[in-house]
Amino acid sequence: MSVLLSILDLADVGPGENVPDRLRSSVELAQHAERWGYRRIWYAEHHNMPTIASAATSVLIAHVAAHTRTIRLGSGGVMLPNHSPLVIAEQFGTLESLHPGRIDLGLGRAPGTDQQTFRALRRHPAAAERFPDDVLELQGYLRGEPLVEGVRATPGHGTDVPLYILGSSLFGAQLAAQLGLPYAFASHFAPDALQAAVAAYRSGFRPSAQLERPHVIAGVNVIAADAREDAEAQLLIAKRRRAKRLFGRGRSYTDEELDLILDSPSAAPVLQMMRYTAVGTVDEVSAYLDRFAVHADADELILASSATDQPKRLRTFELVAQARGLADAA
């Protein structure tokens, strides 16, 4: 099955790395992905997370765009309750003006952080309830049809940066369908409602000025290696890291302790988050992606690497690109 393939760069700071290291790795990944023929790379907004380097999402997009030429870049996503629609229109209007035809704006309604950090962002907990209206306000600025009288986004006005609704529930699916926007499901970490949400989106979709027919993007974790043993070893490390984030709470664990957690019923949330993970040799991963695309009824897959360092991360995406003939199709 042929589907578009894109990358979600989680900008996760690994052991022995610091933030500058990881940001340089994001540039390197984008440059390789461009040559390999991937459709787009997205970056997610997370705050107060020491292992995630993409909090200033628009700034990272600008930096990577300045070091690449053709690949699409965007947010996967900007958490709109953290911002005013006008500011996001100005930021992404600036990006589109600098790099025309290359910028995506994926939007989520979760804060992407904890409640204490949400307060530090100076936002009200009820902001998420205004998400549909904020999407429309943002869209109006970018289309050059502002809904707020006398307010114009400069830059941004008339740039028509394409919007994408991100979600992991029926709410986002129904909103994307109603507005006629592409829908991206976060199945790489929140898989439960994938099929129900996609079905709701497709059945309720209304064509719009941006999109004539439904477009589904589904997230999936990938670890591809030249030998299955290497891929399995990377998967174990990835599971340990997720368990540490989930259960750490300020204390440190040895690998042996983390393995005991992973072998216990307590590991259910970790295993659930990683339900959709392609692991193994390139042939095994490619076959999994075919099956997953059918399962998710997806038009595009966005791949999140669970590799443990930059060389392994690059090798994962290189192998997948070779197996799928991306450079040939680009």
Side-chain angles (χ1 to χ4, degrees), residues 83-292:
H83 312 276
S84 77
L86 176 61
V87 168
I88 297 303
E90 292 168 342
Q91 289 179 3
F92 279 78
T94 300
L95 289 169
E96 176 65 21
S97 299
L98 291 169
H99 308 282
R102 296 180 56 201
I103 302 302
D104 300 328
L105 178 47
L107 302 167
R109 71 174 181 133
T113 188
D114 57 85
Q115 289 300 313
Q116 185 172 351
T117 306
F118 192 63
R119 288 193 292 272
L121 290 167
R122 301 296 191 270
R123 305 300 290 173
H124 191 277
E129 298 174 10
R130 298 194 301 270
F131 181 68
D133 292 332
D134 284 350
V135 172
L136 290 173
E137 183 180 337
L138 172 58
Q139 188 177 58
Y141 292 130
L142 295 171
R143 283 184 175 171
E145 302 168 354
L147 302 183
V148 181
E149 186 176 354
V151 178
R152 174 176 173 142
T154 305
H157 185 86
T159 54
D160 263 330
V161 177
L163 303 184
Y164 298 72
I165 299 297
L166 279 57
S168 57
S169 68
L170 295 182
F171 178 89
Q174 292 164 345
L175 179 63
Q178 179 182 353
L179 299 181
L181 297 175
Y183 179 55
F185 191 91
S187 35
H188 62 292
F189 76 93
D192 284 352
L194 170 62
Q195 290 181 301
V198 170
Y201 169 69
R202 289 195 179 278
S203 65
F205 182 82
R206 302 177 185 175
S208 68
Q210 178 177 326
L211 195 64
E212 292 183 0
R213 58 182 61 88
H215 186 83
V216 171
I217 304 174
V220 58
N221 300 295
V222 290
I223 301 177
D226 295 288
R228 181 167 182 83
E229 294 76 12
D230 184 17
E232 292 285 0
Q234 292 182 55
L235 176 63
L236 176 58
I237 295 173
K239 287 179 178 178
R240 286 171 178 166
R241 291 182 68 187
R242 293 215 183 191
K244 187 175 181 179
R245 288 176 187 170
L246 190 61
F247 300 109
R249 299 187 183 91
R251 63 162 292 184
S252 59
Y253 288 95
T254 65
D255 287 347
E256 291 76 14
E257 290 171 330
L258 290 170
D259 290 344
L260 287 173
I261 292 173
L262 290 172
D263 287 336
S264 74
S266 300
V270 174
L271 302 180
Q272 177 71 356
M273 289 172 67
M274 300 186 71
R275 183 197 306 175
Y276 295 127
T277 302
V279 181
T281 64
V282 63
D283 290 340
E284 292 171 321
V285 168
S286 185
Y288 182 97
L289 295 180
D290 282 336
R291 296 193 301 271
F292 177 72

Side-chain angles (χ1 to χ4, degrees), residues 23 43 53-66 78 91-92 95:
L23 296 177
Y43 307 93
S54 56
T57 312
S58 61
V59 178
L60 179 54
I61 293 169
H63 181 65
V64 175
V78 160
Q91 289 179 3
F92 279 78
L95 289 169

Side-chain angles (χ1 to χ4, degrees), residues 10-91:
L10 298 171
D12 47 333
V13 182
E17 281 188 314
N18 56 30
V19 168
D21 292 334
R22 189 58 183 86
L23 296 177
R24 284 189 289 270
S25 293
S26 288
V27 172
E28 183 184 26
L29 172 58
Q31 291 171 335
H32 280 83
E34 184 172 77
R35 291 196 298 272
W36 292 332
Y38 283 93
R39 170 69 172 159
R40 70 182 96 238
I41 299 181
W42 281 357
Y43 307 93
E45 177 188 348
H46 294 285
H47 298 281
N48 195 30
M49 296 184 69
T51 58
I52 301 293
S54 56
T57 312
S58 61
V59 178
L60 179 54
I61 293 169
H63 181 65
V64 175
H67 289 81
T68 52
R69 296 183 300 107
T70 58
I71 194 167
R72 296 192 67 87
L73 300 163
S75 58
V78 160
M79 301 296 106
L80 196 52
N82 296 342
H83 312 276
S84 77
L86 176 61
V87 168
I88 297 303
E90 292 168 342
Q91 289 179 3

